[in-house]
Amino acid sequence: MLSKAVENYLKAIFSLSEEGNDNVSTNSIAKKLNTKASSVTDMLRKLTSKSLVNHEKYKGVSLTTKGKKLATNIVRKHRLWETFLVDKLHFNWDEVHDVAEQLEHIKSDKLVTLLDEFLGNPKFDPHGDPIPDEFGKFPTSNSTPLSNLKEGDKGIVMGVSQDNSTFLKFLDKIDIKLGNLILVKDIIEFDSSVEILINNKESHISLEVARNILVKQK
Amino acid sequence: MLSKAVENYLKAIFSLSEEGNDNVSTNSIAKKLNTKASSVTDMLRKLTSKSLVNHEKYKGVSLTTKGKKLATNIVRKHRLWETFLVDKLHFNWDEVHDVAEQLEHIKSDKLVTLLDEFLGNPKFDPHGDPIPDEFGKFPTSNSTPLSNLKEGDKGIVMGVSQDNSTFLKFLDKIDIKLGNLILVKDIIEFDSSVEILINNKESHISLEVARNILVKQK
DNA sequence: CAAATAATTTAGTCTTGCCTAAAAATAAAT
DNA sequence: ATTTATTTTTAGGCAAGACTAAATTATTTG
Ligand SMILES: [Mn+2]
Ligand SMILES: [Mn+2]
Ligand SMILES: [Mn+2]
Ligand SMILES: [Mn+2]
């Protein structure tokens, strides 16, 4: 039975290898988990001995098939619980991440299966992140960052690539939520910031924000 | 923030002091938590330093007001989660205890409040155990062990005083579930075992079983 | 009441997961 | 190609929580 610490390391390595190159660095893991590089090295030795990662000294680390399967299952649980909290308990989308960080470690296959069913086998969580199925397969979403659209383009909000609470609260304020239609009114050349229209409401967002909003172009 | 271990000790001490005398013994805690007496002594020192228990060497232990409040809240969470698992996810009542043992340690006041609401503020869990409210107040249930009834008496099943899975599965087999009506047909003098009728189905149960079924006499 | 038994506490270890400081390896810069 | 800076690993420790064995205190029993 995997400890909570081991599960968090697997999840961190998984998400880091998604967003970048195959071999994840010790430092990047330490940063993601708010820990020290030396602690990471310690843990990598343990993960290696459990055949969950391949680690060559000084060369970074990658998940084994077994490690990837386990990591995916934790992501699945995290996103199912977030969906439960928002859809059933009516949490706001900026409040669920920390609670889901705890719930994802509950060990019961039956619980996951029944929860999934109870929620109607959702494909995406409240932030638009894909929920892998019981075999670890992720649904695909043909969405692109809002920052890729041109002036005059329209897009439907499909998700966000940050679950930071301040970011999400800001989106709430300017009416950005999943399913809403965004019109790109203007792109300011100077700093690539974007003027948008949602529900007849104009807003001005930075490039950084636009990069973290995922839309399906219409 | 309390560790899982601390919470489990508090809960154990709470339940032991409910069912017996005020001062709980080291050995009884060790037995309940499947650990060794020496480990219990270690932990009692820690709990004492946190003002969660009063412990006089060799004289047993009791919860402080603070300790009792925290223990009650864990019981509350355990029973709310059991209710969720049975009512919403359709677990059987013999399958929920171990999962609830994990879920009870999730830390989020908002989660508890919203879960309670989502479940319709239940007063009793799937085993008939009372669920304390947010202030720690337990609802009262005027139920009595089935073993207290006389021949010819009738009673409605209000709960059980065991969440052991084999015991609950046995009850399933003879149609004993919350709300069902039991008629006491005969009490065998020799061993005080009981012949009962439920849903026109006759069963013969031991005194030990009868003691663990709680009914409201009709 | 003394002797035997049972319960509890203490002493000394172990594992997990984390830390700091120092050493070693790799990457970047002159 | 050295020197410098960065990254990673090692060495040594700490706290929580558990264990075994031994010592101490309480309780029974003859
Ligand atoms: Mn999240
Ligand atoms: Mn999410
Ligand atoms: Mn239970
Ligand atoms: Mn229960």
Side-chain angles (χ1 to χ4, degrees):
Chain A
M1 181 129 305
L2 301 185
S3 71
K4 199 180 290 195
V6 166
E7 293 191 338
N8 283 333
Y9 272 92
L10 291 179
K11 196 163 59 110
I13 297 168
F14 178 80
S15 103
L16 287 167
S17 45
E18 290 283 279
E19 63 190 53
N21 52 344
D22 241 20
N23 268 39
V24 174
S25 76
T26 301
N27 261 353
S28 64
I29 298 171
K31 197 167 291 177
K32 175 148 269 196
L33 294 179
N34 278 310
T35 184
K36 296 295 148 87
S38 56
S39 307
V40 174
T41 305
D42 278 355
M43 180 58 92
L44 291 184
R45 197 174 303 108
K46 291 170 199 161
L47 295 180
T48 302
S49 82
K50 289 187 196 320
S51 305
L52 298 171
V53 300
N54 294 119
H55 181 221
E56 265 191 284
K57 269 193 193 176
Y58 295 98
K59 299 256 173 99
V61 69
S62 64
L63 292 173
T64 62
T65 309
K66 187 178 165 195
K68 192 178 288 182
K69 187 171 282 179
L70 289 164
T72 304
N73 194 241
I74 301 161
V75 170
R76 170 167 161 80
K77 292 197 278 181
H78 182 99
R79 293 179 180 171
L80 284 173
W81 280 115
E82 285 191 345
T83 306
F84 168 72
L85 294 173
V86 169
D87 285 8
K88 300 295 183 178
L89 300 194
H90 310 304
F91 272 79
N92 200 351
W93 68 344
D94 71 296
E95 304 170 311
V96 296
H97 183 75
D98 292 346
V99 184
E101 284 291 309
Q102 299 177 62
L103 286 163
E104 72 191 7
H105 301 292
I106 302 291
K107 268 125 184 138
S108 164
D109 289 344
K110 179 158 192 171
L111 175 57
V112 180
T113 305
L114 291 180
L115 181 63
D116 187 30
E117 202 174 300
F118 181 60
L119 299 172
N121 309 108
K123 297 281 166 289
F124 299 91
D125 82 359
H127 312 103
D129 295 314
I131 302 174
D133 68 18
E134 58 183 317
F135 307 109
K137 194 170 161 46
F138 284 81
T140 52
S141 85
N142 47 346
S143 62
T144 170
L146 177 57
S147 51
N148 284 357
L149 299 203
K150 307 284 171 233
E151 286 179 23
D153 286 353
K154 293 179 204 167
I156 291 186
V157 181
M158 301 303 289
V160 293
S161 37
Q162 275 261 349
D163 28 30
N164 178 282
S165 175
T166 27
F167 175 61
L168 296 174
K169 278 214 187 79
F170 169 66
L171 297 189
D172 279 343
K173 196 151 73 187
I174 59 175
D175 264 29
I176 292 188
K177 51 169 78 87
L178 299 202
N180 276 4
L181 184 75
I182 298 186
L183 165 68
V184 176
K185 289 199 66 173
D186 199 11
I187 298 175
I188 314 298
E189 223 180 315
F190 168 63
D191 61 356
S192 299
S193 63
V194 189
E195 286 185 344
I196 58 177
L197 191 75
I198 312 171
N199 293 339
N200 279 321
K201 191 164 145 188
E202 265 194 40
S203 302
H204 185 191
I205 61 178
S206 70
L207 172 61
E208 183 58 18
V209 167
R211 275 204 182 109
N212 283 291
I213 297 170
L214 304 171
V215 299
K216 185 155 76 186
Q217 200 172 340
K218 273 266 133 173
Chain B
M1 181 129 305
L2 301 186
S3 71
K4 200 180 288 195
V6 166
E7 293 192 336
N8 282 333
Y9 273 93
L10 291 179
K11 195 163 60 112
I13 297 168
F14 178 79
S15 102
L16 287 167
S17 44
E18 290 282 278
E19 63 190 51
N21 52 346
D22 242 21
N23 268 41
V24 174
S25 74
T26 301
N27 261 352
S28 63
I29 299 172
K31 197 169 291 176
K32 175 149 268 195
L33 294 179
N34 278 310
T35 184
K36 295 296 149 82
S38 56
S39 308
V40 174
T41 304
D42 278 356
M43 181 57 92
L44 291 185
R45 196 174 302 109
K46 291 170 199 159
L47 295 180
T48 302
S49 82
K50 289 187 197 318
S51 303
L52 298 171
V53 301
N54 295 119
H55 181 223
E56 265 190 284
K57 267 194 194 172
Y58 295 100
K59 298 258 173 98
V61 70
S62 64
L63 293 172
T64 62
T65 307
K66 186 177 165 196
K68 192 178 289 183
K69 187 172 282 178
L70 289 164
T72 304
N73 194 242
I74 300 162
V75 170
R76 171 168 161 78
K77 291 196 278 182
H78 182 98
R79 293 180 181 169
L80 284 173
W81 280 115
E82 284 191 346
T83 305
F84 168 72
L85 295 173
V86 169
D87 285 9
K88 301 294 184 178
L89 299 194
H90 310 303
F91 272 80
N92 200 353
W93 68 343
D94 71 296
E95 303 170 311
V96 295
H97 184 74
D98 292 346
V99 185
E101 285 292 309
Q102 299 178 62
L103 287 163
E104 72 190 6
H105 301 292
I106 303 292
K107 267 120 183 143
S108 164
D109 288 345
K110 179 158 192 171
L111 175 58
V112 180
T113 305
L114 291 179
L115 181 63
D116 188 30
E117 202 174 302
F118 180 58
L119 298 172
N121 309 107
K123 295 282 168 289
F124 299 93
D125 83 0
H127 311 104
D129 296 315
I131 302 175
D133 68 17
E134 59 182 317
F135 308 110
K137 194 168 161 44
F138 284 83
T140 52
S141 85
N142 48 348
S143 63
T144 171
L146 177 58
S147 50
N148 284 356
L149 300 203
K150 307 286 170 229
E151 286 179 25
D153 286 352
K154 291 178 205 166
I156 290 186
V157 181
M158 300 302 289
V160 294
S161 36
Q162 276 261 349
D163 32 31
N164 179 283
S165 175
T166 27
F167 175 62
L168 296 174
K169 279 213 187 82
F170 169 66
L171 297 188
D172 280 342
K173 197 150 73 185
I174 60 176
D175 265 28
I176 291 187
K177 51 170 77 91
L178 299 201
N180 275 4
L181 184 75
I182 299 186
L183 165 67
V184 176
K185 288 200 65 174
D186 199 10
I187 298 177
I188 314 298
E189 225 180 313
F190 168 65
D191 61 356
S192 299
S193 65
V194 190
E195 286 185 343
I196 58 177
L197 192 74
I198 311 172
N199 293 339
N200 279 323
K201 189 163 147 190
E202 265 193 42
S203 301
H204 185 190
I205 62 178
S206 70
L207 172 60
E208 184 58 18
V209 167
R211 276 203 182 111
N212 283 293
I213 297 170
L214 303 171
V215 299
K216 183 154 78 184
Q217 202 173 338
K218 273 268 135 175

